[in-house]
Amino acid sequence: MVTRIGEGQVILVEPAANEQGWAVRAAGRDRWQSVDFDGLTLSAPPNATESK
């Protein structure tokens, strides 16, 4: 997956053995980050999780 995206970005949602039944993986430059919010997986844009 990572070798073929070049300068792009990719988000993969796949089945997983967790409460939600799925997991998120991301690859690429400036990729969005998965953030756990009280058991719910959310996606945050780059630098949104940094302290200000």
Side-chain angles (χ1 to χ4, degrees), residues 2-46:
V2 175
T3 59
R4 295 174 35 175
I5 63 172
E7 291 296 317
Q9 300 175 22
V10 67
I11 295 176
L12 173 69
V13 179
E14 61 185 347
N18 60 23
E19 290 178 7
Q20 292 177 273
W22 52 272
V24 177
R25 292 193 296 164
R29 188 172 158 234
D30 297 328
R31 66 178 176 252
W32 285 47
Q33 301 294 317
S34 296
V35 179
D36 182 279
F37 182 77
D38 197 23
L40 176 66
T41 302
L42 302 174
S43 292

